[in-house]
Amino acid sequence: MANIIVFGLVNIETSCRVRKFPIDYYPVDYSFFGVKSVPGGVGLNISKALKTLGDDVTLFTCLPQELDMEAKNILAKLEEEQINANISYCLKETPVSVVLYDEYGRRQIYCDLKDFQDKSLSVDKIDFDDADALIICNSNFNRELLRAARAKEKFIITDVHVLNTVYDDYNRDFMSNSDVLFLSDEQIPCDKKDFMFQIYNVYHNRIIVMGCGKDGALILENGNFNHVPAVDVRPIVNTVGAGDSLLSCFVHFYLMKNDSVASLKLACTFAGYKIGANGASEGFISHDEVIKFASMQKRI
Protein backbone atom coordinates (compact mmCIF):
# COMPACT_ATOMS: atom_id res chain seq x y z
CA MET A 1 0.00 0.00 0.00
CA ALA A 2 0.99 3.65 -0.36
CA ASN A 3 2.99 5.83 2.02
CA ILE A 4 0.89 8.98 2.44
CA ILE A 5 1.44 12.03 4.65
CA VAL A 6 -1.58 14.13 5.67
CA PHE A 7 -1.24 17.71 6.89
CA GLY A 8 -4.39 19.12 8.43
CA LEU A 9 -6.72 20.12 11.23
CA VAL A 10 -8.01 17.89 14.01
CA ASN A 11 -10.95 18.98 16.15
CA ILE A 12 -13.95 17.84 18.17
CA GLU A 13 -17.08 17.65 16.06
CA THR A 14 -20.54 17.78 17.61
CA SER A 15 -23.37 16.76 15.30
CA CYS A 16 -26.99 17.65 16.08
CA ARG A 17 -30.03 16.37 14.20
CA VAL A 18 -32.60 19.13 13.53
CA ARG A 19 -36.20 18.90 12.42
CA LYS A 20 -35.77 20.89 9.22
CA PHE A 21 -33.99 23.76 7.49
CA PRO A 22 -34.55 26.61 8.06
CA ILE A 23 -34.68 25.95 11.79
CA ASP A 24 -37.70 27.13 13.74
CA TYR A 25 -37.02 28.72 17.11
CA TYR A 26 -37.52 26.51 20.18
CA PRO A 27 -36.42 27.42 23.73
CA VAL A 28 -35.65 23.70 24.16
CA ASP A 29 -35.83 20.82 21.70
CA TYR A 30 -35.25 17.13 22.30
CA SER A 31 -33.32 15.02 19.78
CA PHE A 32 -32.91 11.62 21.43
CA PHE A 33 -29.73 9.95 20.14
CA GLY A 34 -29.44 12.86 17.72
CA VAL A 35 -26.50 14.67 19.36
CA LYS A 36 -23.02 13.15 19.20
CA SER A 37 -19.48 14.47 19.81
CA VAL A 38 -16.48 12.72 18.25
CA PRO A 39 -12.90 13.58 17.32
CA GLY A 40 -12.76 14.72 13.70
CA GLY A 41 -11.39 17.42 11.47
CA VAL A 42 -10.16 17.02 7.90
CA GLY A 43 -6.75 15.76 8.99
CA LEU A 44 -8.13 13.02 11.21
CA ASN A 45 -10.95 12.13 8.80
CA ILE A 46 -8.61 11.59 5.86
CA SER A 47 -5.97 9.81 7.94
CA LYS A 48 -8.50 7.38 9.40
CA ALA A 49 -10.07 6.74 5.99
CA LEU A 50 -6.69 5.96 4.40
CA LYS A 51 -5.69 3.80 7.37
CA THR A 52 -8.92 1.83 7.05
CA LEU A 53 -8.24 1.35 3.34
CA GLY A 54 -4.83 -0.08 4.23
CA ASP A 55 -2.36 2.71 3.53
CA ASP A 56 0.66 3.71 5.61
CA VAL A 57 -0.34 7.13 6.96
CA THR A 58 1.38 9.86 8.96
CA LEU A 59 -0.62 12.85 10.19
CA PHE A 60 0.91 16.26 10.92
CA THR A 61 -1.33 18.53 12.97
CA CYS A 62 -1.42 20.69 16.10
CA LEU A 63 -3.09 20.73 19.51
CA PRO A 64 -2.99 23.06 22.56
CA GLN A 65 0.14 23.67 24.60
CA GLU A 66 -1.84 22.66 27.67
CA LEU A 67 -4.04 19.69 26.89
CA ASP A 68 -7.74 20.34 27.42
CA MET A 69 -10.43 17.66 27.55
CA GLU A 70 -11.02 17.86 23.79
CA ALA A 71 -7.32 17.37 23.01
CA LYS A 72 -7.13 14.35 25.32
CA ASN A 73 -10.11 12.81 23.50
CA ILE A 74 -8.38 13.37 20.15
CA LEU A 75 -5.12 11.82 21.36
CA ALA A 76 -7.04 8.80 22.66
CA LYS A 77 -8.77 8.44 19.28
CA LEU A 78 -5.48 8.63 17.37
CA GLU A 79 -4.06 5.92 19.62
CA GLU A 80 -7.18 3.79 19.27
CA GLU A 81 -7.06 4.03 15.46
CA GLN A 82 -3.27 3.47 15.49
CA ILE A 83 -2.69 6.60 13.43
CA ASN A 84 0.92 7.76 13.45
CA ALA A 85 0.70 11.45 14.38
CA ASN A 86 3.35 14.16 14.53
CA ILE A 87 1.78 16.86 16.69
CA SER A 88 2.86 20.44 17.26
CA TYR A 89 1.61 21.59 20.66
CA CYS A 90 1.13 25.28 19.92
CA LEU A 91 -2.57 26.20 20.17
CA LYS A 92 -4.44 27.98 22.95
CA GLU A 93 -7.43 25.62 22.73
CA THR A 94 -8.58 22.66 20.65
CA PRO A 95 -10.63 23.62 17.57
CA VAL A 96 -14.27 22.51 17.62
CA SER A 97 -17.16 22.37 15.16
CA VAL A 98 -20.93 21.95 15.34
CA VAL A 99 -22.81 20.25 12.51
CA LEU A 100 -26.57 20.61 12.19
CA TYR A 101 -28.12 17.98 9.90
CA ASP A 102 -31.62 16.93 8.87
CA GLU A 103 -33.23 13.65 7.82
CA TYR A 104 -32.32 14.30 4.17
CA GLY A 105 -28.61 14.52 4.95
CA ARG A 106 -28.36 18.28 4.46
CA ARG A 107 -26.01 19.97 6.88
CA GLN A 108 -24.92 23.33 8.20
CA ILE A 109 -21.48 23.58 9.83
CA TYR A 110 -20.13 26.04 12.38
CA CYS A 111 -16.33 25.93 12.74
CA ASP A 112 -14.34 27.45 15.61
CA LEU A 113 -10.70 27.04 14.56
CA LYS A 114 -9.38 28.88 17.66
CA ASP A 115 -5.88 30.16 16.74
CA PHE A 116 -5.11 27.36 14.25
CA GLN A 117 -4.99 29.78 11.32
CA ASP A 118 -2.29 31.83 13.07
CA LYS A 119 0.15 28.89 13.15
CA SER A 120 2.66 27.66 10.60
CA LEU A 121 4.17 24.21 10.26
CA SER A 122 7.98 24.07 10.66
CA VAL A 123 9.12 22.55 7.38
CA ASP A 124 12.64 21.77 8.61
CA LYS A 125 11.21 19.11 10.94
CA ILE A 126 9.53 17.15 8.13
CA ASP A 127 11.02 14.35 6.05
CA PHE A 128 8.67 13.63 3.17
CA ASP A 129 11.19 12.37 0.61
CA ASP A 130 9.88 8.77 0.73
CA ALA A 131 6.18 9.69 0.64
CA ASP A 132 4.14 8.59 -2.38
CA ALA A 133 1.75 11.50 -1.90
CA LEU A 134 1.16 14.52 0.32
CA ILE A 135 -2.41 15.50 1.17
CA ILE A 136 -2.08 19.15 2.16
CA CYS A 137 -5.24 20.70 3.59
CA ASN A 138 -5.96 24.34 2.73
CA SER A 139 -5.01 26.04 5.99
CA ASN A 140 -2.43 28.72 6.72
CA PHE A 141 -0.65 26.07 8.79
CA ASN A 142 0.48 24.46 5.50
CA ARG A 143 1.53 27.37 3.26
CA GLU A 144 5.28 27.10 3.83
CA LEU A 145 5.09 23.32 3.49
CA LEU A 146 3.19 23.64 0.22
CA ARG A 147 5.99 25.61 -1.43
CA ALA A 148 8.68 23.28 -0.06
CA ALA A 149 6.84 20.21 -1.35
CA ARG A 150 6.40 21.75 -4.79
CA ALA A 151 10.10 22.60 -4.92
CA LYS A 152 10.86 18.90 -4.35
CA GLU A 153 8.29 17.92 -7.02
CA LYS A 154 6.23 15.83 -4.62
CA PHE A 155 2.77 14.55 -5.63
CA ILE A 156 0.35 16.97 -3.91
CA ILE A 157 -3.40 16.63 -3.35
CA THR A 158 -5.47 19.52 -2.00
CA ASP A 159 -9.16 20.12 -1.34
CA VAL A 160 -10.23 23.77 -1.45
CA HIS A 161 -13.84 22.86 -0.59
CA VAL A 162 -16.11 25.79 -1.52
CA LEU A 163 -15.12 28.34 -4.19
CA ASN A 164 -17.07 31.12 -5.87
CA THR A 165 -14.21 32.47 -8.01
CA VAL A 166 -11.22 30.93 -9.77
CA TYR A 167 -9.08 33.78 -8.44
CA ASP A 168 -9.78 33.09 -4.77
CA ASP A 169 -7.04 34.93 -2.85
CA TYR A 170 -7.04 32.58 0.12
CA ASN A 171 -6.82 29.38 -1.96
CA ARG A 172 -4.58 30.62 -4.78
CA ASP A 173 -1.42 28.99 -3.34
CA PHE A 174 -3.17 25.68 -2.89
CA MET A 175 -4.71 25.65 -6.35
CA SER A 176 -1.48 26.62 -8.10
CA ASN A 177 0.67 24.03 -6.31
CA SER A 178 -1.52 20.92 -6.35
CA ASP A 179 -1.33 18.04 -8.82
CA VAL A 180 -4.81 16.84 -7.87
CA LEU A 181 -7.34 19.47 -6.86
CA PHE A 182 -10.66 18.67 -5.20
CA LEU A 183 -13.55 21.09 -4.70
CA SER A 184 -17.30 21.11 -4.15
CA ASP A 185 -19.97 22.29 -6.58
CA GLU A 186 -21.55 24.39 -3.84
CA GLN A 187 -21.61 28.14 -4.58
CA ILE A 188 -19.88 28.00 -7.96
CA PRO A 189 -21.20 30.92 -10.04
CA CYS A 190 -21.56 29.24 -13.46
CA ASP A 191 -21.74 25.92 -15.31
CA LYS A 192 -19.73 23.25 -13.45
CA LYS A 193 -17.63 22.20 -16.43
CA ASP A 194 -16.94 25.80 -17.41
CA PHE A 195 -15.74 26.53 -13.90
CA MET A 196 -13.43 23.51 -13.89
CA PHE A 197 -11.99 24.53 -17.27
CA GLN A 198 -11.36 28.01 -15.90
CA ILE A 199 -9.43 26.50 -12.99
CA TYR A 200 -7.38 24.33 -15.34
CA ASN A 201 -6.57 27.23 -17.67
CA VAL A 202 -5.22 29.27 -14.74
CA TYR A 203 -3.53 26.61 -12.58
CA HIS A 204 -2.92 23.62 -14.94
CA ASN A 205 -3.62 20.92 -12.36
CA ARG A 206 -3.07 17.35 -13.54
CA ILE A 207 -6.51 16.27 -12.28
CA ILE A 208 -9.49 18.30 -11.02
CA VAL A 209 -12.36 16.58 -9.19
CA MET A 210 -15.60 18.34 -8.32
CA GLY A 211 -17.85 16.66 -5.77
CA CYS A 212 -21.50 17.16 -6.73
CA GLY A 213 -23.36 15.60 -3.82
CA LYS A 214 -26.29 13.44 -4.94
CA ASP A 215 -25.18 13.98 -8.54
CA GLY A 216 -21.87 12.19 -7.98
CA ALA A 217 -18.64 13.79 -9.16
CA LEU A 218 -17.01 15.34 -12.23
CA ILE A 219 -13.39 14.78 -13.17
CA LEU A 220 -11.23 16.74 -15.62
CA GLU A 221 -7.97 15.22 -16.84
CA ASN A 222 -5.99 15.98 -20.00
CA GLY A 223 -8.82 18.20 -21.22
CA ASN A 224 -11.38 15.39 -20.96
CA PHE A 225 -14.42 15.31 -18.69
CA ASN A 226 -16.02 12.28 -17.11
CA HIS A 227 -19.07 12.17 -14.89
CA VAL A 228 -19.28 9.50 -12.20
CA PRO A 229 -22.75 9.03 -10.67
CA ALA A 230 -23.33 8.80 -6.95
CA VAL A 231 -23.78 5.33 -5.49
CA ASP A 232 -26.78 4.38 -3.36
CA VAL A 233 -25.16 2.02 -0.86
CA ARG A 234 -27.34 2.49 2.24
CA PRO A 235 -29.71 5.13 3.68
CA ILE A 236 -28.16 8.57 4.15
CA VAL A 237 -27.74 9.76 7.75
CA ASN A 238 -25.30 12.67 7.62
CA THR A 239 -23.35 13.95 4.60
CA VAL A 240 -20.67 15.79 6.58
CA GLY A 241 -17.25 14.39 5.69
CA ALA A 242 -18.39 13.06 2.31
CA GLY A 243 -15.79 15.18 0.53
CA ASP A 244 -12.98 13.96 2.78
CA SER A 245 -13.97 10.35 2.15
CA LEU A 246 -14.21 10.90 -1.62
CA LEU A 247 -10.70 12.38 -1.71
CA SER A 248 -9.22 9.69 0.53
CA CYS A 249 -10.52 6.76 -1.45
CA PHE A 250 -9.64 8.38 -4.78
CA VAL A 251 -6.02 8.87 -3.67
CA HIS A 252 -5.82 5.31 -2.32
CA PHE A 253 -6.89 3.69 -5.59
CA TYR A 254 -5.24 6.21 -7.92
CA LEU A 255 -1.83 5.51 -6.38
CA MET A 256 -2.45 1.81 -7.05
CA LYS A 257 -4.15 1.91 -10.45
CA ASN A 258 -3.05 5.20 -12.06
CA ASP A 259 -6.59 5.27 -13.50
CA SER A 260 -8.45 8.39 -12.42
CA VAL A 261 -11.95 7.48 -13.59
CA ALA A 262 -11.85 3.95 -12.15
CA SER A 263 -10.52 5.38 -8.88
CA LEU A 264 -13.29 7.99 -8.72
CA LYS A 265 -15.96 5.32 -9.28
CA LEU A 266 -14.63 3.38 -6.30
CA ALA A 267 -14.38 6.60 -4.29
CA CYS A 268 -18.06 7.34 -4.94
CA THR A 269 -18.89 3.89 -3.55
CA PHE A 270 -16.74 4.57 -0.48
CA ALA A 271 -18.43 7.95 0.07
CA GLY A 272 -21.87 6.45 -0.55
CA TYR A 273 -21.32 4.00 2.28
CA LYS A 274 -19.71 6.58 4.56
CA ILE A 275 -22.69 8.97 4.58
CA GLY A 276 -24.80 6.25 6.16
CA ALA A 277 -22.96 7.01 9.41
CA ASN A 278 -23.29 9.97 11.78
CA GLY A 279 -20.00 11.86 12.04
CA ALA A 280 -17.28 12.89 9.61
CA SER A 281 -14.76 10.39 11.00
CA GLU A 282 -17.23 7.46 11.08
CA GLY A 283 -18.44 4.96 8.49
CA PHE A 284 -15.25 4.00 6.60
CA ILE A 285 -14.79 0.57 5.00
CA SER A 286 -11.76 -1.42 3.90
CA HIS A 287 -10.20 -1.80 0.45
CA ASP A 288 -11.84 -5.20 -0.09
CA GLU A 289 -15.21 -3.95 1.13
CA VAL A 290 -15.10 -1.06 -1.36
CA ILE A 291 -14.50 -3.53 -4.20
CA LYS A 292 -17.34 -5.72 -2.97
CA PHE A 293 -19.86 -2.90 -2.65
CA ALA A 294 -18.83 -1.42 -6.00
CA SER A 295 -19.64 -4.73 -7.69
CA MET A 296 -23.02 -4.98 -5.96
CA GLN A 297 -24.51 -1.51 -6.04
CA LYS A 298 -26.51 0.36 -8.64
CA ARG A 299 -25.52 3.89 -9.46
CA ILE A 300 -28.15 6.59 -8.83
Side-chain angles (χ1 to χ4, degrees):
M1 295 297 180
N3 177 10
I4 303 171
I5 305 180
V6 179
F7 303 86
L9 172 78
V10 294
N11 68 8
I12 291 294
E13 170 200 287
T14 298
S15 58
C16 176
R17 184 176 61 235
V18 299
R19 296 174 185 270
K20 64 177 183 178
F21 290 111
I23 299 171
D24 293 328
Y25 172 72
Y26 301 96
V28 179
D29 199 1
Y30 294 91
S31 181
F32 296 105
F33 295 99
V35 180
K36 184 177 182 180
S37 292
V38 296
V42 61
L44 194 154
N45 299 342
I46 292 174
S47 296
K48 182 180 174 182
L50 291 169
K51 181 80 174 178
T52 305
L53 287 163
D55 291 305
D56 184 7
V57 183
T58 301
L59 168 64
F60 281 79
T61 190
C62 54
L63 286 173
Q65 294 174 337
E66 296 183 9
L67 295 181
D68 50 25
M69 180 180 68
E70 291 83 1
K72 291 176 182 178
N73 288 340
I74 289 169
L75 290 173
K77 186 66 173 179
L78 291 172
E79 182 177 0
E80 175 189 340
E81 300 294 341
Q82 299 182 340
I83 295 172
N84 181 29
N86 190 308
I87 300 172
S88 173
Y89 294 94
C90 59
L91 301 180
K92 294 178 180 178
E93 296 179 36
T94 300
V96 294
S97 66
V98 175
V99 181
L100 308 181
Y101 69 97
D102 67 9
E103 62 179 310
Y104 304 104
R106 294 177 298 182
R107 77 282 188 276
Q108 186 171 346
I109 305 172
Y110 297 84
C111 291
D112 182 353
L113 300 179
K114 308 302 182 185
D115 53 335
F116 181 78
Q117 287 290 70
D118 300 331
K119 304 303 178 182
S120 179
L121 187 62
S122 298
V123 177
D124 58 354
K125 297 181 180 179
I126 303 171
D127 180 6
F128 49 67
D129 289 345
D130 294 331
D132 297 306
L134 308 180
I135 298 177
I136 301 178
C137 305
N138 67 330
S139 62
N140 291 334
F141 183 68
N142 289 325
R143 290 191 188 276
E144 183 182 348
L145 165 74
L146 189 68
R147 291 185 281 271
R150 175 50 63 218
K152 289 195 174 185
E153 299 183 342
K154 299 303 296 182
F155 185 56
I156 299 171
I157 303 98
T158 301
D159 189 343
V160 293
H161 305 289
V162 179
L163 289 178
N164 54 30
T165 174
V166 171
Y167 303 102
D168 185 275
D169 287 337
Y170 178 86
N171 284 299
R172 188 186 304 270
D173 286 346
F174 298 96
M175 290 190 283
S176 62
N177 286 292
S178 61
D179 297 290
V180 179
L181 179 68
F182 274 71
L183 71 154
S184 167
D185 68 341
E186 294 185 87
Q187 296 188 11
I188 62 171
C190 60
D191 178 80
K192 297 174 185 179
K193 291 183 178 180
D194 288 346
F195 194 72
M196 292 172 75
F197 261 129
Q198 290 177 39
I199 293 174
Y200 175 76
N201 288 333
V202 174
Y203 303 107
H204 308 292
N205 311 92
R206 185 189 308 183
I207 297 171
I208 302 172
V209 177
M210 179 181 286
C212 303
K214 63 181 178 59
D215 295 322
L218 285 169
I219 184 166
L220 174 61
E221 182 180 20
N222 297 324
N224 298 315
F225 273 104
N226 280 281
H227 171 247
V228 176
V231 181
D232 185 11
V233 183
R234 58 178 180 164
I236 297 171
V237 174
N238 188 344
T239 60
V240 66
D244 294 343
S245 64
L246 188 75
L247 181 152
S248 303
C249 192
F250 175 86
V251 172
H252 169 78
F253 282 103
Y254 182 74
L255 292 174
M256 294 179 60
K257 296 173 173 290
N258 196 31
D259 184 328
S260 62
V261 176
S263 299
L264 188 57
K265 289 178 180 178
L266 292 166
C268 282
T269 298
F270 186 78
Y273 186 91
K274 183 264 167 293
I275 60 177
N278 184 13
S281 61
E282 305 295 323
F284 302 130
I285 52 177
S286 69
H287 173 102
D288 290 342
E289 289 172 314
V290 176
I291 301 297
K292 181 186 75 173
F293 278 110
S295 67
M296 294 169 53
Q297 299 300 319
K298 294 181 179 180
R299 298 191 175 267
I300 297 175

